[in-house]
Amino acid sequence: MEIGYSDSRLNRDKRKILVIEDEIINRMILENILRETYDVVFAETGAQGLEILNEQFRTLSLVLLDLNLPDMYGVDILRQIKADAVTAVLPFIVMTADQEAEVQCLNLGATDFIAKPYPKPEVVLARILRTIELFEGRDLLRWTERDQLTGLYNPEFFFRYAAQFDDRHPDIPTDALLLDVNRFHILNERYGKAFGDEALRHIADKLRKTLNDAGGIVGRRGADAFLAYCPHRSDYADLLRQINDGIEKDYHARVRMGVYPNADRGIDMERRFARAKQAADKVKSSFSGAVGVYDAALYDKESFNEQLLEDFAAAIREEQFTVYFQPKFDIRSEKPRLCSAEALVRWNHPRLGIVSPGIFIPLFEENGLIREMDSYIWEKTARQIRSWREQFGWTIPVSVNVSRIDLSDPLLPKLLEKVVDKAGIPQAAFLLEITESAYTDDAEQIVGMAKALRESGFRIEMDDFGTGYSSLNMITTLPIDTLKLDMQFVRTAFRDKKDMRLIEAVVSLAHSLGLATVAEGVETEEQLQALKALGCDIVQGYYFSKPLPPEEFEAFVRLHKDTEV
Ligand code: C2E
Ligand code: CA
Ligand code: CA
């Protein structure tokens, strides 16, 4: 007879039953009755039974529980199982000689009852089969409700249960919580997906325990994001500490939390959790595992953003979006030479004046408006290149920014081809800047798209290099033409001698791969000279010029073209 965990002889198609029973004779009888039809796992003590339950609840069809165990009362085991949302849905049949216990067990959620001494085998089998079939109907529902990896509610059901909570407790104020794992993708990259999955399962278990204790419910949204809805409290910092305890050590990960306290029931669930997310974003880069709280400042920002979204259609219609151009200089020869420019959008808002893209680009990315705005900017830019060609007899190469959202459109290469064809300029004059972090978000998809774009004849600059945690190794295989070093990356280098060597290494690696290097955000002569000494090819920044509206850029070109081209 097998005691405990797995048995390699087990037939995978059979349903699995856990028997918690301390007496050997009873185990033997049950084994004889059940083994033809079922996989049977035995536990001899309550503790062992609970352990197996926690590990194998996903594959169990039924639990047979003896009420008289040496280490625990069967009733207590039942109570524990029913208190845990995941194991609570398993069907239980209680076995005892004590008729009195029957009612108590049924009240605690036992599904059925088998008296000892055991009735005839056919009777035992029939009761077991009936119970299992009864539950499998519900089980189907259970798995559509729950996330496969963690056993937590999926967002749809989570929102439903949260709304149910409101209905049942109209007077209990509640908090909407969003929790996620700091830099989870690094965990996956460094230790592999299996490790990442295990970490998520562990974190999910910890969240479920801690937040269920607080009277809340927990769901999973997307890879490493979790939702919780809890009766109001104010000690979330302590709670988060409890959650992170152990996770940090075992999984090198830390959970952060955003709280929207006393959630307004006048707005829909999605929106309540969007507020929790904004609160979480406040502590995004914090290393202290802090809790972000939704407050008046975030509320004002939300209203402001809503206004901007509302104004979008008019902005396109009335041509409020304009393109500024910032020159780039080739610094390889003795004298810097104006060689190209970057197109940067500005919103000339009727009430707010010039709004900078740092404010509205992330917002448009979230709401999908970015595609329309970007293609509008690309068309404007392409027309401008064309018009300068006619004016100066020089096709000035200009780079445009391509958002990660744009890259998910399989028709993007076609769209861009149309843009340049319509303006009558060559692909080579239209450079595409793609931010480094897009590559680390979804490497496969982005790499595929970058390849397709290059096959269409476009050249690609990897923007913001040094901020997206891609490895140097990764650059060697990416379909790109230029590395654009991030401003902050360059700045830190000037503060710290060690990083200066890092720049040098990056530049020489880039050259060995046939990639050009651009440094952005260059403001001083000193920075310029140092970058030149390190072998950097192209420089962009306030040292030469701020981004300029087209007329001023034209004047700038006139000034520099004749003397230095
Ligand atoms: P980015 O692509 O990294 O652009 C560089 C930013 O640094 C620009 O800010 C530029 O004005 C600023 N900058 C340039 N030289 C210097 C300098 O020497 N010192 C300092 N302190 N700053 C400098 P801007 O124009 O506000 O753009 C911010 C970001 O918005 C851009 O970062 C880019 O990610 C995004 N963006 C701008 N235009 C577009 C667009 O048309 N489409 C998309 N999708 N994103 C855009
Ligand atoms: Ca850029
Ligand atoms: Ca950049």
Side-chain angles (χ1 to χ4, degrees):
M1 183 189 310
E2 291 284 325
I3 302 285
Y5 302 89
S6 61
D7 179 341
S8 56
R9 291 166 301 149
L10 296 181
N11 176 346
R12 295 203 164 272
D13 294 327
K14 285 183 181 171
R15 292 168 171 127
K16 187 153 80 178
I17 295 180
L18 168 64
V19 176
I20 308 178
E21 167 67 69
D22 62 320
E23 278 177 61
I24 186 153
I25 179 77
N26 288 335
R27 290 201 300 269
M28 288 172 82
I29 294 171
L30 287 170
E31 158 116 74
N32 274 330
I33 300 177
L34 300 172
R35 74 171 159 220
E36 282 269 304
T37 330
Y38 298 100
D39 276 351
V40 190
V41 187
F42 288 98
E44 294 176 61
T45 62
Q48 200 184 12
L50 285 175
E51 202 181 324
I52 295 175
L53 259 168
N54 276 329
E55 276 165 13
Q56 306 189 21
F57 69 87
R58 286 183 187 80
T59 54
L60 288 176
S61 293
L62 177 77
V63 181
L64 290 178
L65 175 65
D66 173 27
L67 278 193
N68 299 309
L69 292 164
D71 59 331
M72 290 173 85
Y73 287 117
V75 175
D76 287 337
I77 296 182
L78 204 54
R79 213 175 261 131
Q80 275 198 37
I81 285 158
K82 292 295 164 186
D84 184 330
V86 168
T87 46
V89 287
L90 274 176
F92 269 81
I93 295 183
V94 163
M95 308 177 292
T96 179
D98 173 9
Q99 302 288 317
E100 295 292 298
E102 184 169 358
V103 176
Q104 194 188 1
C105 288
L106 291 176
N107 279 338
L108 276 172
T111 323
D112 204 350
F113 209 85
I114 293 179
K116 287 180 183 173
Y118 296 118
K120 279 194 277 185
E122 308 86 82
V123 176
V124 173
L125 282 170
R127 294 194 117 159
I128 286 175
L129 186 63
R130 194 193 58 140
T131 305
I132 289 178
E133 282 180 344
L134 193 74
F135 264 71
E136 277 176 355
R138 289 197 217 168
D139 202 44
L140 217 66
L141 173 68
R142 171 159 79 102
W143 283 118
T144 51
E145 279 185 3
R146 286 174 192 278
D147 166 55
Q148 292 284 354
L149 180 71
T150 62
L152 295 177
Y153 293 128
N154 64 34
E156 189 192 339
F157 280 88
F158 173 83
F159 287 139
R160 233 185 255 181
Y161 287 122
Q164 210 173 62
F165 183 96
D166 287 356
D167 290 342
R168 290 193 186 149
H169 310 282
D171 302 324
I172 300 180
T174 37
D175 306 332
L177 270 54
L178 185 128
L179 302 107
D180 65 12
V181 185
N182 260 348
R183 305 201 295 167
F184 177 70
H185 68 95
I186 297 186
L187 211 71
N188 258 342
E189 271 158 36
R190 202 169 286 167
Y191 305 105
K193 191 173 174 301
F195 181 86
D197 282 354
E198 196 199 312
L200 286 175
R201 258 197 300 266
H202 185 88
I203 290 168
D205 282 346
K206 196 89 186 259
L207 291 179
R208 179 170 46 229
K209 289 203 183 88
T210 315
L211 292 160
N212 284 356
D213 282 351
I217 53 172
V218 187
R220 178 175 183 225
R221 162 183 260 174
D224 63 327
F226 301 93
L227 306 167
Y229 200 56
C230 258
H232 176 63
R233 56 197 295 144
S234 44
D235 59 348
Y236 285 112
D238 290 342
L239 224 57
L240 187 61
R241 220 167 291 131
Q242 268 177 49
I243 290 167
N244 274 324
D245 189 39
I247 291 177
E248 258 183 285
K249 195 160 54 63
D250 297 343
Y251 296 97
H252 320 292
R254 190 183 284 136
V255 175
R256 68 194 168 103
M257 182 193 269
V259 183
Y260 170 38
N262 296 314
D264 177 358
R265 293 194 178 169
I267 60 175
D268 63 37
M269 276 295 170
E270 286 273 358
R271 179 126 176 227
R272 289 180 228 173
F273 286 90
R275 288 186 172 181
K277 165 97 172 69
Q278 287 188 340
D281 285 343
K282 282 209 296 194
V283 291
K284 192 163 198 145
S285 51
S286 146
F287 287 96
S288 58
V291 176
V293 179
Y294 187 83
D295 55 13
L298 278 179
Y299 178 79
D300 290 345
K301 190 172 149 209
E302 187 182 316
S303 315
F304 179 75
N305 285 347
E306 260 162 34
Q307 190 60 53
L308 292 184
L309 291 175
E310 258 172 49
D311 295 342
F312 179 82
I316 292 277
R317 210 169 44 237
E318 293 164 17
E319 306 210 17
Q320 292 167 12
F321 293 115
T322 56
V323 191
Y324 277 38
F325 296 87
Q326 186 175 34
K328 293 183 189 173
F329 279 75
D330 187 328
I331 58 166
R332 283 171 303 179
S333 48
E334 177 67 26
K335 255 184 152 185
R337 182 178 64 89
L338 173 63
C339 64
S340 57
E342 176 176 4
L344 293 156
V345 65
R346 295 290 178 268
W347 186 348
N348 196 352
H349 194 280
R351 268 181 303 106
L352 303 167
I354 299 280
V355 185
S356 103
I359 292 176
F360 58 84
I361 297 279
L363 180 66
F364 291 173
E365 283 183 331
E366 258 170 50
N367 292 274
L369 297 174
I370 192 72
R371 284 198 192 170
E372 193 179 346
M373 192 210 77
D374 271 344
S375 52
Y376 175 88
I377 296 298
W378 299 336
E379 281 187 21
K380 252 191 143 137
T381 303
R383 279 201 301 274
Q384 188 67 74
I385 297 172
R386 166 69 186 230
S387 127
W388 283 332
R389 183 169 81 182
E390 281 157 14
Q391 203 174 327
F392 300 116
W394 177 33
T395 310
I396 308 173
V398 177
S399 58
V400 295
N401 289 283
V402 178
S403 154
R404 71 189 72 219
I405 310 293
D406 300 322
L407 295 167
S408 61
D409 178 4
L411 296 176
L412 181 67
K414 284 266 160 310
L415 178 72
L416 284 163
E417 276 171 38
K418 242 190 244 158
V419 169
V420 293
D421 285 351
K422 204 166 138 201
I425 56 167
Q427 257 89 332
F430 207 72
L431 310 171
L432 310 176
E433 296 195 9
I434 299 177
T435 187
E436 183 199 12
S437 58
Y439 288 90
T440 36
D441 279 359
D442 183 356
E444 232 170 277
Q445 202 253 328
I446 304 296
V447 168
M449 179 50 80
K451 274 201 184 116
L453 289 167
R454 284 179 94 216
E455 274 158 22
S456 300
F458 294 101
R459 281 185 291 151
I460 295 178
E461 288 193 13
M462 185 193 253
D463 202 355
D464 310 318
F465 180 77
T467 58
Y469 312 105
S470 65
S471 59
L472 287 181
N473 198 21
M474 193 175 160
I475 321 172
T476 59
T477 58
L478 289 179
I480 53 174
D481 302 276
T482 304
L483 267 193
K484 190 167 186 184
L485 309 181
D486 183 64
M487 192 174 328
Q488 220 42 55
F489 181 69
V490 175
R491 298 237 160 112
T492 327
F494 282 91
R495 255 181 270 132
D496 185 344
K497 287 267 175 333
K498 202 165 110 238
D499 275 353
M500 205 74 154
R501 288 204 300 274
L502 186 58
I503 293 203
E504 196 172 10
V506 168
V507 169
S508 74
L509 176 67
H511 286 169
S512 75
L513 295 167
L515 308 177
T517 49
V518 181
E520 69 178 1
V522 173
E523 294 182 349
T524 65
E525 172 78 31
E526 188 204 349
Q527 291 171 341
L528 174 69
Q529 293 310 332
L531 286 162
K532 191 169 171 166
L534 292 173
C536 183
D537 305 295
I538 295 170
V539 148
Q540 175 184 353
Y542 294 174
Y543 176 72
F544 289 110
S545 168
K546 294 197 165 183
L548 303 168
E551 324 75 65
E552 288 180 36
F553 184 77
E554 274 160 35
F556 191 90
V557 172
R558 261 185 226 107
L559 203 69
H560 289 80
K561 180 177 178 279
D562 297 336
T563 51
E564 281 150 25
V565 170

Coordinates of all heavy atoms in Angstrom, one line a residue, residues 374-412:
D374 N 0.4 59.5 -33.7 CA 1.7 59.3 -34.3 C 1.6 59.3 -35.8 O 2.5 59.9 -36.5 CB 2.3 57.9 -33.8 CG 3.2 58.1 -32.5 OD1 3.5 59.3 -32.2 OD2 3.4 57.1 -31.8
S375 N 0.6 58.7 -36.4 CA 0.6 58.7 -37.8 C 0.3 60.1 -38.4 O 0.9 60.4 -39.4 CB -0.4 57.6 -38.4 OG -1.7 57.8 -37.9
Y376 N -0.4 60.9 -37.6 CA -0.5 62.3 -37.9 C 0.8 63.0 -37.9 O 1.2 63.7 -38.9 CB -1.5 62.9 -36.9 CG -1.7 64.4 -37.1 CD1 -2.7 64.9 -37.9 CD2 -0.9 65.3 -36.4 CE1 -2.9 66.3 -38.0 CE2 -1.1 66.7 -36.5 CZ -2.1 67.2 -37.3 OH -2.3 68.5 -37.4
I377 N 1.6 62.7 -36.9 CA 3.0 63.4 -36.8 C 3.9 62.9 -37.9 O 4.7 63.6 -38.4 CB 3.6 63.1 -35.4 CG1 2.7 63.7 -34.3 CG2 5.0 63.5 -35.3 CD1 2.7 65.2 -34.3
W378 N 3.8 61.6 -38.2 CA 4.7 61.0 -39.2 C 4.4 61.7 -40.6 O 5.3 62.0 -41.3 CB 4.5 59.5 -39.3 CG 4.8 58.8 -38.1 CD1 5.7 59.2 -37.1 CD2 4.4 57.5 -37.7 NE1 5.7 58.2 -36.1 CE2 4.9 57.2 -36.4 CE3 3.5 56.5 -38.2 CZ2 4.7 56.0 -35.7 CZ3 3.3 55.3 -37.6 CH2 3.8 55.1 -36.3
E379 N 3.1 61.8 -40.9 CA 2.7 62.4 -42.1 C 3.2 63.9 -42.2 O 3.8 64.3 -43.2 CB 1.2 62.4 -42.4 CG 0.8 61.0 -42.8 CD -0.7 61.0 -43.2 OE1 -1.3 62.1 -43.5 OE2 -1.2 59.9 -43.2
K380 N 3.0 64.6 -41.1 CA 3.5 66.0 -41.1 C 5.0 66.1 -41.3 O 5.5 66.9 -42.0 CB 3.1 66.6 -39.7 CG 2.0 67.6 -39.8 CD 1.8 68.3 -38.5 CE 1.5 69.8 -38.9 NZ 0.4 70.4 -38.1
T381 N 5.7 65.2 -40.6 CA 7.2 65.1 -40.7 C 7.6 64.8 -42.1 O 8.5 65.5 -42.6 CB 7.8 64.1 -39.7 OG1 7.3 64.4 -38.4 CG2 9.3 64.1 -39.7
A382 N 7.0 63.8 -42.7 CA 7.4 63.4 -44.0 C 7.2 64.6 -45.0 O 8.0 64.8 -45.9 CB 6.6 62.2 -44.5
R383 N 6.1 65.2 -44.9 CA 5.8 66.4 -45.8 C 6.9 67.5 -45.6 O 7.3 68.1 -46.5 CB 4.4 67.0 -45.5 CG 3.3 66.2 -46.2 CD 2.0 67.1 -46.3 NE 1.6 67.6 -45.0 CZ 0.7 66.9 -44.2 NH1 0.3 65.7 -44.6 NH2 0.3 67.4 -43.1
Q384 N 7.3 67.6 -44.3 CA 8.3 68.7 -44.0 C 9.6 68.3 -44.6 O 10.3 69.2 -45.2 CB 8.4 68.8 -42.5 CG 9.3 69.9 -42.0 CD 8.7 71.3 -42.3 OE1 7.7 71.7 -41.7 NE2 9.2 71.9 -43.3
I385 N 10.0 67.0 -44.6 CA 11.3 66.6 -45.2 C 11.2 66.9 -46.7 O 12.2 67.5 -47.2 CB 11.5 65.1 -45.0 CG1 11.6 64.8 -43.4 CG2 12.8 64.6 -45.7 CD1 11.7 63.3 -43.1
R386 N 10.1 66.6 -47.3 CA 9.9 66.9 -48.7 C 10.1 68.3 -49.0 O 10.8 68.8 -50.0 CB 8.5 66.3 -49.1 CG 8.0 66.8 -50.4 CD 8.9 66.1 -51.5 NE 8.5 66.6 -52.8 CZ 8.3 65.9 -53.9 NH1 8.3 64.5 -53.7 NH2 8.0 66.4 -55.0
S387 N 9.4 69.2 -48.2 CA 9.4 70.6 -48.5 C 10.8 71.2 -48.3 O 11.3 72.0 -49.1 CB 8.3 71.3 -47.7 OG 8.9 72.4 -47.0
W388 N 11.6 70.7 -47.3 CA 13.0 71.1 -47.1 C 13.8 70.7 -48.3 O 14.8 71.4 -48.7 CB 13.5 70.6 -45.8 CG 13.0 71.4 -44.6 CD1 12.6 72.7 -44.7 CD2 12.8 71.0 -43.3 NE1 12.2 73.1 -43.4 CE2 12.3 72.0 -42.5 CE3 13.1 69.8 -42.6 CZ2 12.0 71.9 -41.2 CZ3 12.8 69.7 -41.3 CH2 12.3 70.7 -40.6
R389 N 13.5 69.5 -48.8 CA 14.3 69.0 -49.9 C 14.2 70.0 -51.1 O 15.2 70.4 -51.7 CB 13.9 67.7 -50.4 CG 14.8 67.1 -51.5 CD 14.5 65.7 -51.8 NE 13.4 65.5 -52.7 CZ 12.9 64.3 -53.1 NH1 13.5 63.2 -52.6 NH2 11.9 64.2 -53.8
E390 N 13.0 70.5 -51.3 CA 12.8 71.4 -52.4 C 13.4 72.8 -52.1 O 14.0 73.4 -52.9 CB 11.3 71.6 -52.6 CG 10.8 70.4 -53.5 CD 9.3 70.2 -53.3 OE1 8.5 71.1 -52.8 OE2 8.8 69.1 -53.8
Q391 N 13.4 73.2 -50.8 CA 13.9 74.5 -50.4 C 15.4 74.5 -50.4 O 16.0 75.5 -50.8 CB 13.4 74.7 -49.0 CG 13.3 76.2 -48.6 CD 12.7 76.3 -47.2 OE1 11.8 75.5 -46.9 NE2 13.1 77.3 -46.4
F392 N 16.0 73.4 -49.8 CA 17.5 73.4 -49.7 C 18.2 72.6 -50.7 O 19.5 72.5 -50.7 CB 17.9 72.9 -48.2 CG 17.3 73.8 -47.1 CD1 16.4 73.2 -46.2 CD2 17.7 75.1 -47.0 CE1 15.9 74.0 -45.2 CE2 17.2 75.9 -45.9 CZ 16.3 75.3 -45.0
G393 N 17.5 71.8 -51.4 CA 18.2 70.8 -52.3 C 18.9 69.7 -51.5 O 19.9 69.1 -51.9
W394 N 18.4 69.5 -50.2 CA 19.0 68.5 -49.3 C 18.0 67.7 -48.6 O 17.0 68.3 -48.0 CB 19.9 69.3 -48.3 CG 20.6 68.4 -47.3 CD1 21.0 67.1 -47.5 CD2 20.8 68.7 -45.9 NE1 21.5 66.6 -46.3 CE2 21.5 67.6 -45.3 CE3 20.6 69.9 -45.1 CZ2 21.9 67.6 -44.0 CZ3 21.1 69.8 -43.8 CH2 21.7 68.7 -43.2
T395 N 18.0 66.4 -48.7 CA 17.1 65.6 -48.0 C 17.6 65.4 -46.6 O 18.5 64.6 -46.4 CB 16.8 64.3 -48.7 OG1 16.6 64.5 -50.1 CG2 15.7 63.5 -48.1
I396 N 17.1 66.2 -45.6 CA 17.5 66.0 -44.3 C 16.9 64.8 -43.6 O 15.7 64.7 -43.5 CB 17.1 67.3 -43.4 CG1 17.5 68.5 -44.1 CG2 17.7 67.2 -42.0 CD1 17.0 69.8 -43.4
P397 N 17.7 63.8 -43.2 CA 17.2 62.7 -42.5 C 16.6 63.1 -41.2 O 17.2 63.8 -40.4 CB 18.4 61.7 -42.3 CG 19.5 62.3 -43.1 CD 19.2 63.8 -43.3
V398 N 15.3 62.6 -40.9 CA 14.7 63.0 -39.6 C 14.2 61.7 -39.0 O 13.7 60.8 -39.6 CB 13.5 63.9 -39.9 CG1 12.8 64.2 -38.5 CG2 13.9 65.2 -40.5
S399 N 14.4 61.6 -37.7 CA 13.9 60.4 -37.0 C 12.6 60.8 -36.3 O 12.4 61.9 -35.8 CB 14.9 59.9 -36.0 OG 15.3 60.9 -35.0
V400 N 11.7 59.8 -36.3 CA 10.4 60.0 -35.6 C 10.4 58.9 -34.5 O 11.0 57.9 -34.5 CB 9.2 59.8 -36.5 CG1 9.1 60.8 -37.6 CG2 9.2 58.4 -37.2
N401 N 9.6 59.2 -33.5 CA 9.4 58.3 -32.4 C 8.3 57.3 -32.7 O 7.2 57.8 -33.1 CB 9.1 59.1 -31.1 CG 10.3 59.8 -30.6 OD1 11.2 59.2 -30.0 ND2 10.4 61.1 -30.8
V402 N 8.5 56.1 -32.5 CA 7.5 55.0 -32.7 C 7.2 54.4 -31.3 O 8.1 53.8 -30.7 CB 8.0 54.0 -33.7 CG1 7.0 52.9 -33.9 CG2 8.4 54.6 -35.0
S403 N 6.0 54.6 -30.9 CA 5.6 54.1 -29.6 C 5.5 52.5 -29.6 O 5.2 51.9 -30.6 CB 4.2 54.7 -29.2 OG 3.6 53.8 -28.3
R404 N 5.6 51.9 -28.4 CA 5.5 50.5 -28.4 C 4.1 50.0 -28.8 O 3.9 48.9 -29.3 CB 5.8 50.0 -26.9 CG 4.7 50.4 -25.9 CD 5.2 50.1 -24.5 NE 6.2 51.0 -24.1 CZ 7.2 50.7 -23.4 NH1 7.4 49.5 -23.0 NH2 8.1 51.6 -23.0
I405 N 3.1 50.9 -28.6 CA 1.8 50.6 -29.0 C 1.6 50.5 -30.5 O 1.0 49.6 -31.1 CB 0.7 51.6 -28.5 CG1 0.9 51.9 -27.0 CG2 -0.7 51.2 -28.8 CD1 0.6 50.7 -26.1
D406 N 2.3 51.4 -31.2 CA 2.3 51.4 -32.7 C 2.9 50.0 -33.2 O 2.4 49.5 -34.2 CB 3.2 52.5 -33.2 CG 2.8 53.9 -32.8 OD1 1.6 54.1 -32.8 OD2 3.7 54.7 -32.6
L407 N 3.8 49.5 -32.4 CA 4.5 48.3 -32.9 C 3.7 47.0 -32.9 O 4.0 46.0 -33.5 CB 5.8 48.0 -32.1 CG 6.8 49.1 -32.2 CD1 7.9 49.0 -31.1 CD2 7.5 49.1 -33.5
S408 N 2.5 47.1 -32.2 CA 1.7 45.9 -32.1 C 0.8 45.8 -33.4 O 0.0 44.8 -33.5 CB 0.8 45.9 -30.9 OG 0.0 47.1 -30.9
D409 N 0.8 46.8 -34.2 CA 0.0 46.8 -35.4 C 0.8 46.1 -36.6 O 1.8 46.6 -37.0 CB -0.4 48.2 -35.8 CG -1.2 48.3 -37.1 OD1 -1.5 47.2 -37.6 OD2 -1.5 49.4 -37.6
P410 N 0.3 44.9 -37.0 CA 1.1 44.2 -38.0 C 1.1 44.9 -39.3 O 2.0 44.7 -40.2 CB 0.3 42.9 -38.2 CG -1.0 43.0 -37.5 CD -0.9 44.2 -36.5
L411 N 0.3 45.9 -39.5 CA 0.3 46.7 -40.8 C 1.2 47.9 -40.7 O 1.3 48.7 -41.7 CB -1.1 47.1 -41.1 CG -2.1 46.0 -41.4 CD1 -3.5 46.6 -41.6 CD2 -1.7 45.2 -42.6
L412 N 2.0 48.0 -39.6 CA 2.8 49.2 -39.4 C 3.8 49.4 -40.6 O 3.9 50.5 -41.1 CB 3.6 49.1 -38.1 CG 4.5 50.3 -37.8 CD1 3.7 51.6 -37.6 CD2 5.3 50.1 -36.6

